[in-house]
Amino acid sequence: IPRVTGVQTCALPILEMKAQIEEELKGHKTDREEATSTVGTATEQRDKDKKAFDAYAAEAKANVASVTKAVEALRKGLGDSFLQSGAAVTLKRVLLNTNSLSSFDQEEVEDFLQGKASSSGTGEIVGILEQMGEEMAADLKEAEESEAASLADFNGLVAAKNKEIQAATTAIEDKTARVGTLAVDIVNAKNDLS
C-alpha cells in the first residue's frame, strides 16, 4: 500500500482540479480548431460557388442582352444589320445551347440568323425571341435569388462559428490562467508542508 504523505494529502484536491481544468482546456482548443477549420472550408466553397455564379450571371446577362437587341432590331426593321453584329453571333451560340425552344421554333430562328427568313415571318421570330428572352431572364433571376440565399446561409454559418471561436478563446484564456494559479497553489502547499 502506497504511503500518502501530508504534502500529497494537502495538494491532492488541487492536483485533481488542475488535471480536470487541463482536460477542459484541451477540449476548448479542439473546439476552436474545428470551428476555425469549418470557417475555412466554408469560405473556400463559398468562393468557388461565387465564382461559378459570377460566370453564369455574366453569360446569362449577355445572352438576354443579345436577345433584346435582336427583338429591338427586328421591330425597327433592321434585321439585316443585326445579323452582322456581335449580338447575332451570341444569339447563334445561345440557340445552340438552348433546350427551351421547340424544334420548329429553333429552325425558324436559325433560318433568320442565316438570313433565310422572309420579312413576313419577322413577327413570329420576334415572339419566339421574346419568349426565349423572358425564360432566360427568369432563370437568371432564380439564380440570383439562390445566390443571395447561399450568401445569407454562409454569413450565418460564419457568424455562428466566430461566436464559437470567441467563446472557446475566452474559455482557453480563463482556464489557462486558472491552471497557472493552481500550479502556484500546489507549489505553495508543498512549501508550507516542507
Side-chain angles (χ1 to χ4, degrees):
I1 297 176
R3 197 172 142 245
V4 177
T5 65
V7 172
Q8 290 171 322
T9 304
C10 181
L12 193 58
I14 298 172
L15 286 169
E16 289 173 353
M17 186 183 302
K18 182 176 176 274
Q20 178 185 345
I21 292 173
E22 286 172 339
E23 277 303 308
E24 292 172 5
L25 198 52
K26 288 178 189 176
H28 292 306
K29 287 179 179 178
T30 299
D31 292 346
R32 182 172 65 180
E33 289 168 7
E34 288 174 357
T36 301
S37 175
T38 298
V39 168
T41 301
T43 300
E44 286 176 21
Q45 185 60 49
R46 179 74 203 117
D47 291 344
K48 288 178 187 175
D49 292 348
K50 175 74 171 129
K51 187 176 180 180
F53 169 77
D54 288 346
Y56 167 78
E59 181 179 354
K61 287 175 184 176
N63 293 346
V64 169
S66 71
V67 170
T68 302
K69 286 179 186 177
V71 169
E72 289 171 0
L74 287 169
R75 285 200 170 132
K76 292 178 184 176
L78 303 173
D80 290 336
S81 64
F82 171 78
L83 294 176
Q84 306 304 315
S85 70
V89 173
T90 302
L91 187 56
K92 287 176 187 176
R93 184 180 43 77
V94 170
L95 194 60
L96 290 173
N97 295 320
T98 189
N99 295 330
S100 64
L101 296 179
S102 69
S103 59
F104 177 77
D105 287 347
Q106 193 159 355
E107 285 178 31
E108 289 289 313
V109 176
E110 285 174 6
D111 286 348
F112 160 71
L113 291 171
Q114 294 170 6
K116 296 178 185 175
S118 65
S119 58
S120 62
T122 303
E124 188 175 330
I125 299 296
V126 167
I128 293 169
L129 292 176
E130 283 179 332
Q131 177 187 352
M132 193 167 92
E134 289 169 3
E135 288 173 5
M136 289 190 304
D139 290 346
L140 176 59
K141 183 180 179 191
E142 184 178 314
E144 289 169 338
E145 290 168 354
S146 177
E147 171 65 9
S150 294
L151 181 59
D153 290 346
F154 169 76
N155 289 337
L157 171 71
V158 169
K161 290 299 176 182
N162 283 337
K163 285 181 183 178
E164 286 179 30
I165 291 167
Q166 184 56 48
T169 299
T170 300
I172 289 167
E173 291 167 356
D174 176 55
K175 290 186 179 177
T176 299
R178 287 177 62 196
V179 165
T181 301
L182 290 172
V184 170
D185 291 347
I186 291 167
V187 169
N188 288 339
K190 287 180 181 179
N191 288 339
D192 288 346
L193 295 172
S194 309

